[in-house]
């Protein structure tokens, strides 16, 4: 983006410097020397951090790795609530015995890995059912592929569980190799 005195200049929009107004196409038609003469500089757009791992794309604001049991402002535990319709004229929310937990990145990424593995395995589950119900062998290539998916899922889950930083978690997630 083009900047002049800290202000962003939009391409395709007219702008004024001092008493001179420049037309909307000036930035596109000008040379670097023309822009430099006016003090116009180029700044790359800021790189946004991956929103899956950082709040608001801010590299300095990572999401929590671990699950967090929620508490109120006084430090008292919070519980999952359900609607109690015992009195239809006055339905109310009531606490259950289940603690309210905000899932961290590790739990969410493990769930994603399990979902991916399940989706990949579901394509060949009928071979397993056929083997159990009719004792028809599973083709070797299918068994090999299923074993590879299971191994990759186990590798990722173990690595995610052991990771200690968001950057390491990103590396783990980028290392997924589910085969074809």
């Amino acid at each position: 983006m083009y900047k002049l005195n800290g202000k962003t200049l939009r391409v395709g929009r007219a702008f004024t410097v001092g008493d001179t107004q420049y037309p909307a196409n000036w930035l596109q038609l000008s040379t670097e020397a023309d822009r430099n003469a006016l003090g116009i500089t180029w700044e790359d757009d800021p790189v946004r951090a991956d929103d899956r791992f950082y709040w608001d794309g801010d590299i300095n604001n990572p999401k929590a790795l671990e699950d967090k049991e929620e508490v109120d402002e006084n430090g008292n535990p919070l519980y999952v609530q359900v609607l109690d319709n015992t009195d239809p004229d006055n339905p109310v929310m009531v606490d259950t015995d289940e603690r309210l937990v905000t899932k961290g990145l590790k739990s969410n990424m493990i769930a994603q890995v399990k979902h991916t593995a399940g989706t990949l395995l579901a394509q060949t589950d009928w071979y397993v059912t056929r083997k159990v119900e009719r004792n028809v062998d599973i083709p070797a290539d299918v068994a090999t592929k299923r074993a590879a998916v299971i191994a990759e899922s186990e590798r990722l889950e173990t690595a995610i569980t052991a990771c200690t930083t968001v950057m390491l978690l990103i590396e783990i997630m980028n290392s997924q190799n589910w085969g074809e």
Side-chain angles (χ1 to χ4, degrees):
M1 71 184 100
Y2 290 106
K3 294 266 191 165
L4 177 61
N5 299 325
K7 184 178 175 186
T8 301
L9 299 177
R10 303 221 183 263
V11 174
R13 282 213 177 145
F15 62 96
T16 303
V17 178
D19 292 333
T20 306
Q21 176 145 2
Y22 293 86
N25 64 351
W26 191 87
L27 287 172
Q28 291 122 308
L29 299 176
S30 63
T31 65
E32 186 174 351
D34 294 334
R35 293 187 296 271
N36 288 340
L38 292 177
I40 297 174
T41 58
W42 175 261
E43 288 183 17
D44 289 330
D45 290 334
V47 176
R48 184 176 178 89
D50 190 331
D51 285 323
R52 293 175 299 167
F53 303 100
Y54 297 95
W55 292 109
D56 299 322
D58 182 355
I59 193 82
N60 297 312
N61 195 8
K63 293 182 179 180
L65 281 173
E66 304 296 339
D67 294 351
K68 177 184 176 195
E69 289 189 338
E70 297 297 339
V71 295
D72 66 16
E73 60 276 357
N74 298 320
N76 300 316
L78 291 175
Y79 294 89
V80 173
Q81 294 188 325
V82 295
L83 184 63
D84 180 0
N85 277 326
T86 306
D87 179 359
D89 295 329
N90 187 28
V92 294
M93 298 299 289
V94 295
D95 287 343
T96 63
D97 293 334
E98 182 184 353
R99 285 291 307 269
L100 183 61
V101 176
T102 299
K103 297 293 186 181
L105 286 172
K106 286 182 175 183
S107 290
N108 289 329
M109 294 302 132
I110 287 173
Q112 179 184 343
V113 166
K114 287 180 181 289
H115 176 77
T116 300
T119 299
L120 293 170
L121 291 171
Q123 300 169 20
T124 57
D125 280 349
W126 69 274
Y127 285 106
V128 176
T129 303
R130 183 178 72 171
K131 172 68 175 165
V132 169
E133 291 178 353
R134 294 185 291 157
N135 199 26
V136 176
D137 288 339
I138 299 171
D141 62 327
V142 172
T144 300
K145 182 174 180 167
R146 289 180 63 85
V149 168
I150 292 166
E152 180 64 0
S153 178
E154 290 172 350
R155 180 191 75 80
L156 289 167
E157 289 179 46
T158 300
I160 291 167
T161 300
C163 91
T164 56
T165 67
V166 171
M167 288 301 294
L168 182 57
L169 181 60
I170 292 170
E171 288 178 26
I172 292 165
M173 296 308 291
N174 287 340
S175 75
Q176 295 181 66
N177 182 4
W178 297 102
E180 295 179 12

